[in-house]
Amino acid sequence: MIQYLLVEDEYFAAEEIKRMIQKLRPNYQMAGQTGSVDETVSFLRHTPVELIILDIRLSDGTSFEIFEQIPVDAPIIFTTAYDEYALQAFQVHSIHYLLKPVEETELETALYRFEQNNRLLPASTQYKKLEEQLWKSNKKNRFLVQTGDTYQYVETGKIAFFYSEEKCVFLHTFADKRYIVDYPLEQLEQMLDEKMFFRVARNCITNIKAINKISKYFAGRFKLDFEPKCPHEVLVSRNRATDFLKWVDDIPY
């Protein structure tokens, strides 16, 4: 008899998973159910299980925080509401997953894979890679902007650069249009794909495709010419110069 732990903070989602497991695997026994990081850590400290069905987003954080506190050796089936790209990343790392809302056929497939290969690497050795993939998949794909009384969205790939001016932050598109956004540049740095965007100056984040020319400037700095043109001069400081060149050359850090 397989002893499993269900970690899910949504009542109806938990009840549906339990119902489907009872139907598909009546010989499985639920050893416990938790809904938070703290509850799960406390449970696993005292109760070994053979399988964990684990939601990524919990009431007090992400499930990755569990692995930072205790070693987890049981194979894990992740449940997630994230898009297919994140799920593909999970699959690469040999982790089972279910996309919410969970379908019975998908749960059957996950359970079958668990039974065929129940000696997966300990989850604690893989969570950092999973967290990295999740973070990458969670980058912002579009921004909502306003013109007068009209709202529209701009896809991130169509943005040439962001810059701050007179206490406002502007989004400037390749079509040479600009809009005010309600995010500071510090937050935008975390929201954008670091392979595509780089904070070249205190007041500017640019898309790699917007850089038309890089010129040496005095004091170890670089001067950038953008296409479309940026409303103000953009200089890469000496402190940012090395990281900037690595980014332009696509050198892993």
Side-chain angles (χ1 to χ4, degrees):
M1 179 177 293
I2 298 295
Q3 298 283 328
Y4 74 92
L5 169 65
L6 176 60
V7 184
E8 174 59 70
D9 64 346
E10 298 177 13
Y11 173 79
F12 291 107
E15 290 300 304
E16 185 64 6
I17 290 174
K18 287 189 289 186
R19 181 195 67 78
M20 289 188 288
I21 290 181
Q22 179 60 34
K23 175 183 176 181
L24 297 171
R25 296 295 189 278
N27 59 321
Y28 280 30
Q29 182 176 18
M30 189 175 73
Q33 179 181 339
T34 60
S36 70
V37 172
D38 288 344
E39 288 178 351
T40 306
V41 169
S42 178
F43 181 92
L44 291 174
R45 286 190 194 280
H46 304 99
T47 309
V49 293
E50 297 166 89
L51 172 66
I52 302 173
I53 300 177
L54 181 61
D55 187 13
I56 288 178
R57 294 286 186 182
L58 300 175
S59 60
D60 59 347
T62 69
S63 58
F64 302 116
E65 295 172 39
I66 296 168
F67 310 130
E68 294 176 348
Q69 300 183 48
I70 56 171
V72 178
D73 295 328
I76 291 176
I77 296 174
F78 282 99
T79 62
T80 176
Y82 291 99
D83 62 30
E84 60 184 350
Y85 302 106
L87 300 180
Q88 289 171 356
F90 296 167
Q91 191 173 29
V92 167
H93 292 291
S94 300
I95 297 295
H96 306 304
Y97 68 85
L98 297 171
L99 180 63
K100 289 183 175 182
V102 175
E103 299 288 342
E104 187 173 297
T105 54
E106 294 174 347
L107 178 58
E108 167 64 37
T109 299
L111 293 174
Y112 177 79
R113 291 181 59 194
F114 158 70
E115 292 161 353
Q116 294 300 307
N117 184 19
N118 61 3
R119 294 186 178 274
L120 295 174
L121 291 176
S124 57
T125 66
Q126 302 197 39
Y127 88 93
K128 289 187 182 297
K129 292 181 180 179
L130 288 169
E131 188 172 31
E132 179 182 346
Q133 291 295 336
L134 178 59
W135 173 249
K136 289 179 179 178
S137 73
N138 207 29
K139 297 300 184 180
K140 198 164 178 62
N141 295 317
R142 58 185 176 268
F143 288 82
L144 186 67
V145 297
Q146 182 179 2
T147 303
D149 295 329
T150 303
Y151 289 88
Q152 67 182 90
Y153 69 86
V154 178
E155 294 178 1
T156 304
K158 295 181 179 179
I159 299 170
F161 45 83
F162 298 85
Y163 62 91
S164 60
E165 184 178 274
E166 298 180 353
K167 298 183 179 181
C168 292
V169 176
F170 292 91
L171 174 163
H172 200 115
T173 71
F174 283 104
D176 208 16
K177 296 181 179 180
R178 75 173 192 168
Y179 308 92
I180 294 177
V181 293
D182 294 326
Y183 301 102
L185 291 178
E186 288 75 17
Q187 187 175 357
L188 286 169
E189 276 190 280
Q190 304 302 316
M191 299 165 70
L192 298 166
D193 184 350
E194 62 274 11
K195 284 187 173 294
M196 184 66 68
F197 290 89
F198 188 88
R199 190 168 184 177
V200 291
R202 181 181 55 82
N203 61 346
C204 183
I205 298 174
T206 185
N207 187 324
I208 183 67
K209 295 180 180 180
I211 299 176
N212 188 46
K213 184 179 179 181
I214 303 171
S215 304
K216 285 187 177 181
Y217 207 69
F218 67 89
R221 295 179 292 175
F222 295 104
K223 182 178 180 180
L224 303 182
D225 290 325
F226 291 160
E227 184 58 46
K229 299 295 183 183
C230 186
H232 58 76
E233 184 178 61
V234 179
L235 300 176
V236 181
S237 71
R238 183 166 60 181
N239 292 336
R240 301 174 192 263
T242 299
D243 289 341
F244 170 71
L245 291 178
K246 287 181 178 180
W247 173 71
V248 171
D249 201 27
D250 196 22
I251 299 175
Y253 284 73

